[in-house]
Amino acid sequence: QPQRDCLSSRGTKPAAMALQIGDLAPSFTLPDESGQMVSLEAQRGSRVVLYFYPKDDTPGCTKEACNFRDQWSVFKSNGIKVFGISKDGAKSHGKFIEKYDLPFTLLSDEEPCPVATAYESYGLKKFMGREYMGMMRHTFVIDADGKLEKIYTKVKAETMASTILSDLEIQL
């Protein structure tokens, strides 16, 4: 298989990940914070950012969501749609959105997390010597044709939105 030159050093993807830049993004339909179903196919024609995060209203996840909120006008003016995805349900997402005035959609991928699994963003995690299944903090940029444009597996929660805009050469 040929080596693919894909990402900036900030978003370097481990060789073990099967998803590759240029692959068709795994399709999905998930409920948003109001229970409305959102499908990736309905987003065709627009660039989409999907960011997977572990849990609503926790320190790292709040920093990440607020970074996207603070850069929202830049994403919106460039026609980029942003979707956060976690295991949390619609009620939790609604409270999180309201508490931090988040202007983008949060989607619920509840256990067994089929969408996160398809995006290789759900699996075995370790924390303080304990192993458990959980959501990984990964981010994907999908182009207007539905193909993976960028993959980030080493995410800095407080700067992810800014990193994406910089990597896409969009002026802040």
Side-chain angles (χ1 to χ4, degrees), residues 10 31 62 71 89 105 110 112 123 141 158 161 168:
R10 286 182 286 216
T62 298
Q71 299 295 338
T105 301
E110 297 185 52
V141 179
E158 55 279 340
L168 295 176

Side-chain angles (χ1 to χ4, degrees), residues 33 51 57 61-62 64-73 82 92-106:
E33 65 278 355
Y51 80 94
D57 208 6
C61 298
T62 298
E64 188 171 22
C66 290
N67 184 234
F68 278 106
R69 177 200 64 202
D70 295 346
Q71 299 295 338
W72 177 246
S73 63
V82 176
S92 175
H93 282 339
K95 288 179 182 176
F96 191 38
I97 286 169
E98 189 175 327
K99 184 173 181 178
Y100 294 100
D101 197 25
L102 304 178
F104 50 86
T105 301
L106 298 179

